[in-house]
Each structure stands twice: as structure tokens, then as C-alpha cells.
């Protein structure tokens, strides 16, 4: 049986030492928007009660993120002082304790 789902290339799973560690849950101050950045280079963004409102893939270069939504929409983000500035959003990393 052949699977239509391919695993990401190993290079996509490797993180350069100078790239920001972005994996985890990022949340707006009011908790309305929750963006999960996964280790496999995928993201899943919830808005309010709408789960998986946006999904796609992302890449990290230094402190800069490039997003490509599954619909083809693109966006960018930057990590500054531990805060993710994603287009007009400001997100904070949720504690993973």
C-alpha cells in the first residue's frame, strides 16, 4: 500500500544552532489566538473557539519565520526579546513546565 502522506525530509527537521527555538505554543495576551509551532515544521493556529483556523508550514532563519498556509497564503514573523511578532499579532510563548 502506498501512502499519499510523505514524511518531511530530514533536513527540514534539523535546526541550525543560530536559529531561534520557536517550537511550542504561542499565545496572544488575551488568549484569543493560539499558534502551535511544531518540531516538524508545521503550525496550527486556533482563533477563539475555532480550532485549526489556519494550518501550514513554517521555516526559521535566525530569528525570522516564514509561513506558508495550506491555502497558499504567506506571512512572516520575527522573534524579538522572546516575543513573536507575527504580522500584526504579538504572541508570547506559553510555559511548557
Amino acid at each position: 500500500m502506498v501512502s499519499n502522506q510523505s514524511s518531511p525530509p530530514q533536513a527540514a527537521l534539523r535546526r541550525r544552532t543560530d536559529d531561534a527555538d520557536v517550537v511550542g505554543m504561542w499565545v496572544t495576551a488575551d488568549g484569543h489566538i493560539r499558534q502551535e509551532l511544531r518540531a516538524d515544521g508545521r503550525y496550527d493556529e486556533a482563533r477563539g473557539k475555532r480550532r485549526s483556523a489556519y494550518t501550514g508550514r513554517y521555516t526559521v532563519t535566525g530569528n525570522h519565520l516564514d509561513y506558508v498556509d495550506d491555502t497558499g497564503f504567506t506571512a512572516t514573523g520575527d522573534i524579538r526579546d522572546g516575543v513573536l511578532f507575527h504580522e500584526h499579532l504579538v504572541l508570547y510563548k506559553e510555559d511548557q513546565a
Side-chain angles (χ1 to χ4, degrees), residues 32-63:
H32 182 74
I33 298 174
R34 300 176 59 80
Q35 186 179 89
E36 179 187 13
L37 299 177
R38 300 186 338 213
D40 65 357
R42 298 278 305 162
Y43 72 88
D44 190 319
E45 184 175 302
R47 292 188 172 228
K49 294 182 181 182
R50 185 173 169 208
R51 301 179 85 174
S52 300
Y54 298 98
T55 60
R57 65 186 189 282
Y58 73 93
T59 56
V60 180
T61 306
N63 289 328

Side-chain angles (χ1 to χ4, degrees), residues 11-87:
L13 299 177
R14 283 187 229 125
R15 190 173 74 80
R16 297 179 331 178
T17 56
D18 58 340
D19 289 343
D21 181 12
V22 300
V23 173
M25 185 65 73
W26 294 82
V27 183
T28 55
D30 63 4
H32 182 74
I33 298 174
R34 300 176 59 80
Q35 186 179 89
E36 179 187 13
L37 299 177
R38 300 186 338 213
D40 65 357
R42 298 278 305 162
Y43 72 88
D44 190 319
E45 184 175 302
R47 292 188 172 228
K49 294 182 181 182
R50 185 173 169 208
R51 301 179 85 174
S52 300
Y54 298 98
T55 60
R57 65 186 189 282
Y58 73 93
T59 56
V60 180
T61 306
N63 289 328
H64 180 79
L65 288 85
D66 289 296
Y67 296 83
V68 179
D69 187 84
D70 289 337
T71 65
F73 178 80
T74 60
T76 62
D78 291 289
I79 304 285
R80 293 192 301 268
D81 297 323
V83 177
L84 172 55
F85 295 88
H86 172 60
E87 298 298 332

